[in-house]
Every structure is written in structure tokens, then in C-alpha cells.
Amino acid sequence: MKRTIWKYDLEVTDEQTIQIPKGASVLTVDTQDGLPKLWLAVCPEEKKQLVRVAIIGTGKPLWCDGWIYAGSFKMRQDILVFHVFVEPVEL
């Protein structure tokens, strides 16, 4: 199956759930128009699954040890730095 790059909007919150195709792989995290986004390589035809996403600010406890690090992004003129982790799932 051909893979496609999909972009997901993220909320700046401790934890959220997104629906992605099975077998998706994390590419990067960044901001676009000042809002955080997550880019994944996906096979669109695959069955969908829910995964949890954690956003943790610098200096905050890392409660999602063992999750997949997706990347970091900055907000408010680079004053705030957040780090994004995705729950590992069965592929």
C-alpha cells in the first residue's frame, strides 16, 4: 500500500486521543500558523485506531515513560517549549 503524509491538529493539553490508521509512523511535530501539529506517514486504507498523545511542558513530570517521542514545539515567541509523546500501539 502507498503511504501518505497526514497532518493532525493538536491541542495544548496534557493528554488527548486521536484516530489514526494502523501502522502509522511519526514524522515530526511543529507549529503551523502558531498551532501545534503532528505529521504521520500513514496507509489511508488501513483500519483506524485510537492513540493517546501526551504534551508535556519543559520542567513538568514525564508521566508517559515508554511512549514514543514525536518531537517538540515552541509557542509564545519561543518562551514555552512542549514535548509530544505518542502511546505505543500494536501495529
Side-chain angles (χ1 to χ4, degrees), residues 21-35:
K22 282 191 170 195
S25 55
V26 173
L27 296 176
T28 194
V29 171
D30 204 346
T31 56
Q32 186 176 48
D33 297 324
L35 300 171

Side-chain angles (χ1 to χ4, degrees), residues 8-18 26 28-32 34-39 51-65 67-75 80-87:
Y8 294 82
D9 296 330
L10 297 177
E11 296 177 33
V12 182
T13 185
D14 292 341
E15 185 178 337
Q16 59 203 279
T17 303
I18 61 173
V26 173
T28 194
V29 171
D30 204 346
T31 56
Q32 186 176 48
L35 300 171
K37 310 290 181 184
L38 169 66
W39 283 267
V51 296
R52 293 186 297 164
V53 177
I55 297 183
I56 300 175
T58 299
K60 302 295 181 185
L62 181 60
W63 57 265
C64 56
D65 234 5
W67 289 25
I68 299 164
Y69 172 71
S72 300
F73 64 93
K74 298 175 184 177
M75 295 189 75
L80 301 174
V81 181
F82 297 97
H83 312 280
V84 180
F85 295 84
V86 178
E87 172 186 37

